[in-house]
Amino acid sequence: RRCPSWSSACKLCKSCFRMARTVALLLASASALVPPAATPARPATRLAYTASEALPFMERPASLDELEMAGDVGFDPFGFSSIFNVKWLREAEIKHGRICMLAWTGFVATDLGFTLPGDMHQVSSVEAHDVACKYGAMQQIFLWLSFIEVVHSFGVAQMMWMGSDRQPGDFGLDPLDFCSTPEKAADMKLKEITHCRLAMFAFSGVVTQAVLTGKGFPYF
């Protein structure tokens, strides 16, 4: 037989349980009506990425923007502009391009028969180096080129370290006034650097072809 006090305690527990369940349901219903707290948006991170015009799958080196240059298409896959001064690199590019334009013209002209008088000059362009060494002409060429380089280095040094406003490759040589206006100057600079780049490839190609075939112009 159950104790009366035990029955009363059970009824009280059941009543407390029902009350607690009712309160929990009411709280859950009330919380559903409250809008969720807004999650603070993360600040958008925007990467300053500029693709190279020459190599769209690579980023344009920021160091190229230090100097406004004709023919600049963001081509620097090895990152030389981040190691060396951009002015020095452009000076070297223009110098080598000009030399190659003259070299290609002289190489082909010699093989077409335009030579100086004398037996030592009556050879092909490929054979000219060995003949010049034999007659001692290479020493004279080395002497004059060294003198030109010394004179040229003064302008480069002033441009890079002495605050000169000289532009790379600019020697003020314009006897026919091709660059009389800024527009003409910009157009001629673009044409020059384009031909410089082409000439460097052309001279490498013409020498290689002449050596491989052993024939004169057109080397096949």
Side-chain angles (χ1 to χ4, degrees):
R1 184 178 178 180
R2 289 185 179 181
C3 178
S5 59
W6 173 262
S7 301
S8 300
C10 289
K11 291 180 180 179
L12 180 61
C13 290
K14 291 180 178 179
S15 300
C16 292
F17 177 74
R18 293 193 187 99
M19 184 180 295
R21 186 177 61 181
T22 303
V23 172
L25 291 174
L26 291 174
L27 291 175
S29 302
S31 63
L33 300 176
V34 178
T39 303
R42 294 183 178 180
T45 303
R46 185 174 181 180
L47 300 177
Y49 180 89
T50 303
S52 167
E53 183 179 348
L55 304 171
F57 53 88
M58 296 185 66
E59 184 177 5
R60 172 186 170 84
S63 51
L64 291 178
D65 297 330
E66 298 176 5
L67 181 67
E68 184 177 354
M69 301 177 289
D72 178 16
V73 291
F75 183 81
D76 186 16
F78 298 106
F80 289 137
S81 60
S82 60
I83 303 174
F84 303 101
N85 191 302
V86 178
K87 291 182 178 180
W88 184 82
L89 292 174
R90 174 44 66 100
E91 184 81 26
E93 182 182 26
I94 293 176
K95 180 200 293 187
H96 286 81
R98 289 169 176 171
I99 292 174
C100 284
M101 285 190 285
L102 293 174
W104 186 91
T105 303
F107 195 96
V108 174
T110 298
D111 287 340
L112 288 175
F114 296 94
T115 60
L116 295 174
D119 294 336
M120 67 172 292
H121 299 294
Q122 310 308 312
V123 294
S124 67
S125 295
V126 174
E127 298 171 339
H129 174 270
D130 295 341
V131 173
C133 290
K134 179 180 178 180
Y135 284 91
M138 293 299 290
Q139 289 83 348
Q140 297 182 33
I141 296 176
F142 177 76
L143 176 64
W144 285 109
L145 288 180
S146 299
F147 174 75
I148 294 173
E149 280 297 309
V150 170
V151 175
H152 167 257
S153 64
F154 289 119
V156 177
Q158 292 175 356
M159 173 188 69
M160 295 182 59
W161 301 298
M162 301 180 186
S164 172
D165 59 352
R166 175 185 179 273
Q167 294 298 311
D170 184 10
F171 292 95
L173 182 64
D174 186 20
L176 300 180
D177 204 22
F178 286 136
C179 303
S180 56
T181 64
E183 293 77 15
K184 290 182 179 180
D187 181 61
M188 293 303 294
K189 287 180 180 180
L190 179 59
K191 290 178 179 179
E192 180 185 34
I193 195 63
T194 302
H195 286 82
C196 281
R197 292 167 178 171
L198 177 62
M200 286 187 278
F201 282 105
F203 183 69
S204 301
V206 75
V207 172
T208 302
Q209 186 73 4
V211 172
L212 291 178
T213 62
K215 298 180 180 180
F217 186 83
Y219 311 110
F220 60 81

